[in-house]
Amino acid sequence: MKPSFALNFTDDSVALLHRTKRGWLEVGRTAYDTPDLGEALAYMRSTALGLSPQGITTKLVIPASQVRYLRIDAPGPTDGARRAQIAASRTGEADGGFY
């Protein structure tokens, strides 16, 4: 199923997009530092419900600058050992902490 809405996150704001026959249409935007962010987000949600009263399906668009990619060596030798090695590296235990 294709989502009917998207939340497009940028470094300073979030926008609500609605899928139309012509493509994505922005129907709302708010800055993170707005005095009442909760109210602004609630308004965008009510806008979405007004456009799609049967329900909202949404995808999230996250800027690449906010995604962290890691290469983790986990030689095993077992699946359990690999999972433990991955978990240890994600919490910084494997190399003394990199977070």
Side-chain angles (χ1 to χ4, degrees):
M1 171 188 349
K2 289 185 179 181
S4 53
F5 294 92
L7 286 173
N8 185 21
F9 294 92
T10 67
D11 291 333
D12 58 359
S13 67
V14 59
L16 175 65
L17 308 174
H18 183 239
R19 185 188 300 271
T20 68
K21 292 180 182 179
R22 297 182 317 235
W24 291 101
L25 174 68
E26 184 175 307
V27 295
R29 176 181 293 271
T30 188
Y32 299 126
D33 62 357
T34 193
D36 193 346
L37 181 60
E39 184 177 314
L41 294 173
Y43 182 78
M44 283 198 290
R45 183 177 188 279
S46 68
T47 300
L49 284 170
L51 292 166
S52 182
Q54 70 276 11
I56 302 169
T57 55
T58 307
K59 76 177 190 173
L60 304 178
V61 182
I62 302 170
S65 64
Q66 299 300 310
V67 178
R68 183 173 185 171
Y69 298 93
L70 301 173
R71 181 181 177 99
I72 298 172
D73 291 321
T78 65
D79 287 345
R82 275 188 285 284
R83 281 191 291 277
Q85 291 160 352
I86 291 167
S89 68
R90 290 179 57 215
T91 60
E93 297 170 11
D95 62 358
F98 59 85
Y99 287 100

